[in-house]
Amino acid sequence: MGPKRDQPRVLSARKRQARDTLVLLASGAVVLMALAGRSTPRASERPPTPALPTAALPVGAPSPLPSGATPDRIPTPDPEMDPSCSFADRGFGAYGTYQPLPLGKVLVPPPGAIPPGTGYNLLVHFHGAEPVRREVAPLDLGLVIAVVDAGIRSSDYARALRATSWKTLLGTIDHAVAESTGIPDLHPRRIAVSSWSAGSGAIPTILTADRSPDALVLLDSLYAGYAPGQHALVPGQLAPYLSLAQAATRGGPLLFLTHTTVPTVGYASTEETATFLLRQLGASAVLVTPNDGDPLRLVRMYDGGSLYMRGYAGATREDHCAQLRLLPSILTEHVLPAFEQGT
């Protein structure tokens, strides 16, 4: 009879033990969920990650891009946010601080840097305002420097130049220069326009304006669309750039373009467009063995008249961002000497 009387107590103890185990497991699950909730933000709370330009043309694009149009892309690196685009801040040089413009902002050299009656040399850069300021302003080149960050898609820049025309932008820069210097009726003597990545969306409108640039610098920035169902450029799409390149080979306005080997999907990369332009000119690049100390790894180049092309082997986000570091040497070695020769 003893074992029969003890059996209910044994069963009851086992039930309590099982219950306590379930409670402990449930509590642990709640704690883990709470910790996960604190350490992992919701998808809607996570900051967007900038992406390299590897997307196709917009879904449902009705027809090939018109002449000079730039294919829209997924967001390209935003140098204000992306750590791979970090640039050491060496200050403003002789410049004071930015003056706001209806589109972008401008740095004006100190009083005395622009003599009355001479006009001024202007650099207008699209996409990557702060890297350009950090790289160019400390050199004190005497340039008026206007920078425009309109978004992270090429279409953002195309829309910006439709909303604020190139003529209007130049007028607002003139006004800012006159206010800073106290010299009325100052206008650009020479204009250099540069773009990086998505900033090329602004360029086609500028090339057809009355006051076209005296120098155009495209830093890993010239893309093009493919013909439907083909892996070939849309015929005539790069016509404005081809015309500019042809004029440059004859000593016309300077054109300097660079490219990396960053791949694109659904549209032509900067490497493809550079090769296409040279072929249309009946020219070919000279292959170069990269120097051991060259972090950008120059692999090919072309010089002809006022046309310059530099191709680099990099295929990463960092390589794409690093193209902005080329602007100071392009300005000092090519653009500014061309400006002086043109006076």
Side-chain angles (χ1 to χ4, degrees):
M1 297 295 293
K4 290 183 180 180
R5 285 196 301 268
D6 292 338
Q7 187 175 10
R9 295 179 181 179
V10 173
L11 291 175
S12 177
R14 289 176 178 172
K15 287 180 180 180
R16 285 196 301 271
Q17 184 178 13
R19 180 195 62 195
D20 293 342
T21 301
L22 289 173
V23 170
L24 287 172
L25 290 173
S27 300
V30 170
V31 171
L32 289 174
M33 291 174 65
L35 289 173
R38 286 198 299 268
S39 60
T40 305
R42 297 176 182 176
S44 60
E45 297 170 346
R46 294 171 191 159
T49 301
L52 285 174
T54 54
L57 292 169
V59 176
S63 61
L65 292 160
S67 175
T70 303
D72 199 16
R73 307 189 297 277
I74 59 175
T76 58
D78 181 353
E80 303 290 342
M81 302 294 294
D82 192 338
S84 67
C85 286
S86 61
F87 289 74
D89 194 341
R90 297 180 290 144
F92 284 72
Y95 297 89
T97 187
Y98 282 121
Q99 294 187 49
L101 300 172
L103 178 61
K105 48 193 176 182
V106 65
L107 291 171
V108 181
I114 304 174
T118 63
Y120 59 91
N121 288 332
L122 171 65
L123 169 67
V124 184
H125 178 83
F126 295 91
H127 200 53
E130 275 303 284
V132 167
R133 190 271 297 173
R134 295 180 180 193
E135 291 289 301
V136 178
L139 301 179
D140 296 334
L141 300 177
L143 291 164
V144 173
I145 305 172
V147 288
V148 178
D149 278 340
I152 53 177
R153 295 176 184 271
S154 55
S155 58
D156 295 331
Y157 289 88
R159 282 193 296 269
L161 262 291
R162 287 195 297 268
T164 301
S165 70
W166 176 237
K167 181 178 180 180
T168 299
L169 177 57
L170 293 180
T172 59
I173 294 171
D174 281 347
H175 181 72
V177 173
E179 281 197 337
S180 293
T181 61
I183 306 172
D185 300 323
L186 276 176
H187 304 288
R189 186 170 63 95
R190 294 285 184 267
I191 301 176
V193 172
S194 59
S195 73
W196 171 71
S197 196
S200 59
I203 304 303
T205 298
I206 295 172
L207 292 182
T208 58
D210 292 336
R211 182 60 165 96
S212 57
D214 302 284
L216 176 63
V217 180
L218 302 173
L219 301 169
D220 208 22
S221 193
L222 181 58
Y223 299 86
Y226 289 142
Q230 300 182 31
H231 192 79
L233 275 70
V234 175
Q237 185 189 157
L238 293 178
Y241 299 98
L242 179 58
S243 296
L244 186 60
Q246 290 170 335
T249 60
R250 299 190 294 267
L254 182 146
L255 174 60
F256 200 115
L257 65 150
T258 77
H259 74 76
T260 60
T261 58
V262 173
T264 54
V265 177
Y267 62 92
S269 68
T270 56
E271 182 180 21
E272 291 174 274
T273 57
T275 300
F276 175 83
L277 284 179
L278 290 180
R279 285 176 179 169
Q280 293 297 301
L281 296 171
S284 58
V286 175
L287 299 181
V288 177
T289 301
N291 296 325
D292 292 337
D294 179 11
L296 274 70
R297 303 188 302 286
L298 178 70
V299 292
R300 66 174 187 160
M301 60 185 292
Y302 175 83
D303 292 359
S306 300
L307 173 64
Y308 304 90
M309 188 280 294
R310 299 289 184 269
Y312 297 87
T316 68
R317 181 191 306 273
E318 290 77 8
D319 295 315
H320 182 54
C321 291
Q323 294 287 295
L324 285 161
R325 303 185 192 279
L326 295 168
L327 186 55
S329 62
I330 293 172
L331 291 173
T332 57
E333 297 173 15
H334 299 280
V335 174
L336 292 179
F339 282 5
E340 294 306 315
Q341 292 174 7
T343 55

